[in-house]
């Protein structure tokens, strides 16, 4: 009898039905509503990535979730064994992955300009647990989570998207619905009952995981980060990674365009465009500073030149003002682009 119980426990550890959740802007309120619906005996672990700033501890969200529902919530730790009926939150500035009944916390390259990012968690879950994974995408800007949800779908898992009409910021669920096709699209209020039903279902045997998903999951673990692994995923394009300057490879997943560099940075086309715009603005500010400093130096030099000297220093200072005005105009236009791309 004791041996039978041990085997059942071991089976539960090896074959949980993990629930992976991704959220961004508006995530705290959405996650609070979701976890409040989960019963105390919920028979699955829940893993949450909520975009946060580098210097945000995440403790505020942990406290909110602990005070909102029946399941204990804590920030995840590297090599931590996970258990059903617990919520694990990705820590600030680190990716959270799952593998073989354990949590992996890595300092891998940013994906979609974020760390923690949603895609690495979703892919790792798809590789480790295949058709047992339940993925949920909630409110947020842009499209982090779309590629990861596609991996879950391709491995036979379940895709749940918040109804965009129910989301404070509908970009992320809308992208999943358009590019992946959600198995369930609903308001958060209905997700608790659905999850309680899904985690008890009988499942068929797992099918092999597609090789490209395995490669990307290994890159997130920093097991792979080289040219051959990235070349196996796509073809080289004439753009550079805005984060490290490396060459980018383009990958096509249905209608979703994605890009990777060999050091590990990854972007959807929307995230790449947004990050390029940020880098353009940074470059323009540097150029503005240098032209203003040059003009100031020329003005100082012109005050010290001989009145009888036909020097062109004063004219050069005036010419610098033309360049300064042009750069200021470009910065104003770039600012409008940044606002339109909803940077987080």
């Amino acid at each position: 009898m004791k041996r039978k119980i041990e085997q059942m426990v071991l089976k539960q550890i090896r074959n949980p039905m993990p629930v992976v959740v991704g959220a961004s802007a508006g995530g705290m309120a959405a996650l609070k509503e979701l976890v409040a619906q989960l019963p105390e005996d919920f028979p699955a672990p829940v893993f949450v990535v909520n975009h946060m700033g580098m210097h945000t501890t995440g403790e505020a969200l942990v406290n909110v979730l602990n005070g909102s529902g029946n399941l204990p919530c804590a920030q995840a730790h590297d090599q931590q064994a996970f258990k059903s009926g617990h919520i694990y939150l990705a820590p600030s500035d680190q990716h959270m992955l799952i593998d073989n009944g354990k949590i992996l916390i890595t300092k891998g390259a940013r994906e979609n300009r974020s760390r923690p990012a949603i895609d690495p968690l979703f892919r790792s879950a798809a590789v480790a647990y295949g058709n047992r994974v339940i993925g949920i995408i909630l409110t947020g800007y842009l499209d982090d989570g779309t590629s990861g949800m596609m991996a879950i779908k391709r491995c036979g898992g379940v895709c749940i998207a918040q109804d965009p009409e129910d989301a404070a910021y509908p970009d992320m669920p809308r992208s999943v619905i358009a590019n992946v096709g959600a198995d369930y699209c609903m308001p958060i209020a209905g997700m608790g009952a659905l999850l309680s039903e899904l985690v008890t279902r009988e499942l068929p045997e797992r099918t092999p995981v597609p090789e490209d998903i395995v490669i990307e999951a290994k890159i997130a673990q920093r097991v792979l980060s080289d040219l051959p692994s990235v070349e196996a995923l796509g073809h080289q394009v004439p753009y550079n990674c805005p984060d490290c300057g490396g060459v980018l490879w383009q990958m096509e997943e249905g209608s979703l365009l994605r890009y990777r560099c060999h050091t590990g940075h990854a972007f959807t086309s929307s995230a790449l465009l947004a990050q390029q715009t940020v880098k353009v603005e940074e470059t323009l500010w540097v150029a503005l500073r240098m032209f203003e400093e040059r003009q100031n130096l020329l003005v100082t030099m012109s005050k010290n030149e001989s009145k009888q000297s036909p020097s062109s220093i004063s004219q050069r200072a005036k010419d610098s003002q033309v360049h300064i005005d042009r750069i200021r105009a470009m910065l104003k236009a770039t600012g409008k682009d940044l606002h339109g791309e909803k940077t987080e």
Side-chain angles (χ1 to χ4, degrees):
M1 183 67 176
K2 181 179 179 182
R3 181 173 178 80
K4 186 176 181 180
I5 293 174
E6 288 176 348
Q7 288 176 338
M8 290 175 64
V9 172
L10 185 60
K11 184 178 180 181
Q12 184 182 21
I13 293 173
R14 288 179 176 172
N15 299 298
M17 184 170 282
V19 178
V20 291
V21 185
S24 187
M28 182 177 288
L31 290 165
K32 179 180 178 181
E33 183 179 357
L34 176 62
V35 303
Q37 302 171 50
L38 302 180
E40 188 175 355
D41 59 349
F42 189 69
V46 180
F47 304 90
V48 176
V49 168
N50 185 57
H51 288 169
M52 64 180 79
M54 182 185 302
H55 303 294
T56 303
T57 65
E59 286 300 324
L61 180 56
V62 169
N63 293 335
V64 166
L65 297 187
N66 273 321
S68 302
N70 302 300
L71 305 184
C73 174
Q75 289 199 45
H77 301 285
D78 190 38
Q79 299 298 319
Q80 177 182 6
F82 57 79
K83 299 184 292 185
S84 294
H86 287 68
I87 301 171
Y88 302 93
L89 180 68
S92 172
D93 200 33
Q94 297 178 86
H95 294 309
M96 177 173 67
L97 317 172
I98 56 176
D99 181 45
N100 281 332
K102 290 187 177 180
I103 297 172
L104 305 178
I105 302 298
T106 75
K107 195 76 169 180
R110 295 178 184 274
E111 291 206 26
N112 296 317
R113 310 162 64 213
S114 299
R115 190 173 57 210
I118 300 166
D119 283 340
L121 170 64
F122 281 21
R123 279 194 216 102
S124 71
V127 169
Y129 298 101
N131 61 355
R132 302 191 66 82
V133 179
I134 301 170
I136 303 175
I137 203 76
L138 302 176
T139 173
Y141 285 135
L142 297 181
D143 49 12
D144 188 25
T146 298
S147 176
M149 191 69 89
M150 193 173 293
I152 290 174
K153 187 79 167 177
R154 289 173 63 194
C155 292
V158 177
C159 168
I160 303 173
Q162 183 180 5
D163 184 342
E165 295 296 322
D166 183 59
Y169 302 90
D171 287 5
M172 285 186 358
R174 187 175 287 152
S175 175
V176 165
I177 293 165
N179 291 286
V180 183
D183 296 307
Y184 302 93
C185 174
M186 60 173 56
I188 294 177
M191 291 183 183
L194 175 63
L195 289 174
S196 294
E197 177 186 341
L198 290 175
V199 294
T200 59
R201 63 181 181 153
E202 292 292 328
L203 295 170
E205 291 294 318
R206 288 184 57 182
T207 57
V209 178
E211 184 61 24
D212 60 303
I213 298 176
V214 174
I215 290 173
E216 290 205 82
K218 288 183 178 179
I219 289 174
Q221 291 185 29
R222 308 301 291 173
V223 175
L224 286 178
S225 182
D226 52 31
L227 293 178
S229 63
V230 183
E231 285 178 341
L233 297 171
H235 61 275
Q236 201 171 115
V237 290
Y239 322 132
N240 291 94
C241 174
D243 285 348
C244 70
V247 176
L248 287 173
W249 279 259
Q250 180 175 295
M251 302 169 286
E252 296 183 17
E253 296 176 338
S255 60
L256 183 68
L257 284 181
R258 298 177 52 239
Y259 299 88
R260 268 196 179 277
C261 71
H262 71 86
T263 62
H265 298 108
F267 308 86
T268 61
S269 55
S270 297
L272 178 61
L273 181 61
Q275 189 67 353
Q276 284 179 337
T277 304
V278 169
K279 294 299 181 180
V280 167
E281 186 193 21
E282 290 175 358
T283 302
L284 287 173
W285 280 112
V286 171
L288 179 63
R289 174 185 60 79
M290 294 182 70
F291 268 107
E292 287 181 336
E293 289 177 354
R294 182 175 185 272
Q295 183 188 47
N296 291 337
L297 177 59
L298 288 169
V299 169
T300 300
M301 292 172 63
S302 68
K303 291 178 180 178
N304 294 329
E305 67 179 333
S306 170
K307 292 184 179 180
Q308 290 76 27
S309 172
S311 172
S312 63
I313 294 179
S314 296
Q315 183 59 45
R316 290 162 67 189
K318 293 178 181 178
D319 291 342
S320 292
Q321 185 62 48
V322 175
H323 297 301
I324 289 170
D325 292 340
R326 287 174 179 169
I327 294 172
R328 285 175 176 163
M330 285 188 285
L331 278 167
K332 289 179 180 178
T334 304
K336 293 178 182 177
D337 281 348
L338 281 168
H339 180 72
E341 285 159 11
K342 306 170 186 175
T343 56
E344 292 182 288

